[in-house]
């Protein structure tokens, strides 16, 4: 007699086949959708990174294009002449400025002399400094943002698809040997795309396999063979590390479904149908006898079968609920990761931008420190050498907190330092920085800043105050006192503001103390403020200490006063002047 399968058995087989096909199509679709989403998200990331670094380069006075062109013209002769092994780009900058002052005494680079007017030896030193400085910025972007490559590109004079890179080759990294690399014969499709972007001064994004590559123009068109080109920033990031590995879990799911499809009809025939028959018998017995014990036997003879429909409904509801929770959890996790990454980037940028080495000179003792609160803030200090007898001193505080304030701090610091190095007075530097920061300030941030230029040989101090805390000065034989004077508006608050210079003199044995509002406005657990009176009292009680010891003592007092929950960043600078010895 020919065996016939029940309707439930046939339904199970058809349902499993449909499920397998649907799951396979779903896996393929999900893979494609995820890949496109990853590509789009990565394209946004590389565009944002490229635009940010391009903005920094546009606001820098470093002649990067001239350096790259000089290296391109003299590649063979410069192979063994470029100095290496610097601990930081400040060391490379120091060597350049020492040689510049030796060969061009009394002149200021950028104001009196351009790159093309320098001697060969000075050009090489400047080339090493620019390369070290921007390599640090590019490497930090690679490490903190997870990009595959960030580099600076310039079209070669040979024309065609030739591209000169700073920061390593985009497609054939040189390992630890960072160098300029000619990519003329590599990745011709990519080279052609970027070459077209050079000549048209366009932002361009190219997909190369599992990598998204972005070109962000920095300059206006510059002459190259065959027309004009621009130099810019190239950022590369992989959006699928290993496509095969991403597909393997889906293949495993399909294989498991196929095995289930083969086993499930047998399970239905041998298990579910038999239990349904047993359940029918129990129900029939209860209908005939009305025995209460039949209900117990019903649960015992088919415990799973009696809950099959309910289980399916509960499972579907649980799966939908779990899917919603997973989506919400994934969204919150992604937001948390992005926020954490942003804070790490901002913290690292902030720390790397602040000078850690201070002048070792017998005429003075200078030290500064910045301690951020729990969130990344906008406080910053700066010290830089203008020439052999003048140094620039900066103390500033960006309004707000978090990543926007930290990035705004980077731009403000760069604008102030670059302009001051040109020999401008503090007031003129603040006027320039104010107008530049107002150009693209949709977030409405502003900066209170104190900028001074100190003449080491005479003790003369010229400074300008843009809405910042009043400085404290200790005169010879006296005590620290606040120097209350003109206090102009903060920079980035309103365009075309005018600022005034104030002049004073530090005699030997006198000291200057600068700080942000995180010192006087520190709060205790009871809500009391630290205050300037308490600050001056501590300064005067420790006036005989070195600059570093004084700042550490005051910081300890602020910490003990405010406890474990600091209200704001604490940034301080102290200059003890001894005069000629």
């Amino acid at each position: 007699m020919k065996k016939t399968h029940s309707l439930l058995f046939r339904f199970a087989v058809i349902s499993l086949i449909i499920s397998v096909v649907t799951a396979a199509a779903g896996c393929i679709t999900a893979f494609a959708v995820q890949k496109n989403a990853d590509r789009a998200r990565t394209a946004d990331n590389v565009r944002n990174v490229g635009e940010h670094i391009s903005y920094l380069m546009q606001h820098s006075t470093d002649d990067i294009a001239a350096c790259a062109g000089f290296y391109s013209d003299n590649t063979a002769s410069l192979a063994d002449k470029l100095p290496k092994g610097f601990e930081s780009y400040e060391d490379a900058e120091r060597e350049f400025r020492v040689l510049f002052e030796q060969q061009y005494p009394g002149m200021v680079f950028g104001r009196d002399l351009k790159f093309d007017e320098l001697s060969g030896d000075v050009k090489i030193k400047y080339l090493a400094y620019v390369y070290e400085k921007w390599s640090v910025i590019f490497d930090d972007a690679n490490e903190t943002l997870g990009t595959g490559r960030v580099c600076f590109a310039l079209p070669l004079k040979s024309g065609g698809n030739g591209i000169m890179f700073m920061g390593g080759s985009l497609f054939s990294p040189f390992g630890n040997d960072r160098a300029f690399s000619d990519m003329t014969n590599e990745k011709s499709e990519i080279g052609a795309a970027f070459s077209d972007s050079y000549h048209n001064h366009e932002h361009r994004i190219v997909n190369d396999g599992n990598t998204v590559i972005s070109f962000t123009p920095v300059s206006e068109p510059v002459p190259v063979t065959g027309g004009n080109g621009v130099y810019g920033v190239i950022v590369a990031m992989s959006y699928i590390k290993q496509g095969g590995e991403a597909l393997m879990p889906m293949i495993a799911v399909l294989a498991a479904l196929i095995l289930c499809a083969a086993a499930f009809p047998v399970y239905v025939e041998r298990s579910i149908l038999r239990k349904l028959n047993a359940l029918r018998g129990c129900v029939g017995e209860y209908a005939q006898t009305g025995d209460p014990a039949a209900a117990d036997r019903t649960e015992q003879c088919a415990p799973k079968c009696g809950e099959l429909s309910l289980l399916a409904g509960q499972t579907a509801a649980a799966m939908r609920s779990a899917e919603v929770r997973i989506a919400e959890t994934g969204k919150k996790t992604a937001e948390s990761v992005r926020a954490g990454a942003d804070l790490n980037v901002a913290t690292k940028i902030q720390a790397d931008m602040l000078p850690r080495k201070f002048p070792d000179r017998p005429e003075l003792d200078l030290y500064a420190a910045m301690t951020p609160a729990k969130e990344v803030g906008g406080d910053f200090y700066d010290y830089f050498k203008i020439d052999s007898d003048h140094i620039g001193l900066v103390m500033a505080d960006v309004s707000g907190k978090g990543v926007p304030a930290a990035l705004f701090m980077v731009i403000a610091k760069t604008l102030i330092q670059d302009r001051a190095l040109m020999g401008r007075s503090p007031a003129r530097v603040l006027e320039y920085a104010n107008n530049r920061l107002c150009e693209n300030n949709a977030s409405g941030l502003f900066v209170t800043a104190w900028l001074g230029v100190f003449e080491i040989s005479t003790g003369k101090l010229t400074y300008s105050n843009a809405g910042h805390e009043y400085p404290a000065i200790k005169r010879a034989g006296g005590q620290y006192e606040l120097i209350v004077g003109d206090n102009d508006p903060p920079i980035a608050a309103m365009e075309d503001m005018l600022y005034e210079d104030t002049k004073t003199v530090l005699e030997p044995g006198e000291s200057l103390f600068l700080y942000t509002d995180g010192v006087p406005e520190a709060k205790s657990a009871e809500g009391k403020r630290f205050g300037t009176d308490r600050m001056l009292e501590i300064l005067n009680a420790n006036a005989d200490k070195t600059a570093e010891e004084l700042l550490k003592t005051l910081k300890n007092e602020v910490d003990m006063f405010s406890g474990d929950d600091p209200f704001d960043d604490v940034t301080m600078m102290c200059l003890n002047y001894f005069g000629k010895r």
Side-chain angles (χ1 to χ4, degrees), residues 103 117 154 197 246-247 270 299 386 416 441 513 528 573:
Q103 295 194 15
E117 299 171 317
L154 177 78
S197 182
L247 192 59
R270 296 184 178 181
E299 293 178 354
I386 299 176
I416 292 174
N441 189 15
F513 176 73
K528 296 182 179 179
M573 177 183 290

Side-chain angles (χ1 to χ4, degrees), residues 5 47 68 107 144 177 236 249 266 272 297 302 305 312 326 336 383 413 453 457 474 505-506 566 569 574:
H5 295 290
R47 180 186 291 108
M107 304 186 77
T144 56
D177 184 13
V266 178
I272 297 180
R297 289 193 295 272
C305 188
I326 290 173
S336 176
Y383 145 75
K413 178 181 179 298
V453 175
S457 60
K474 182 184 76 67
V505 176
L506 289 183
D569 306 335
C574 181

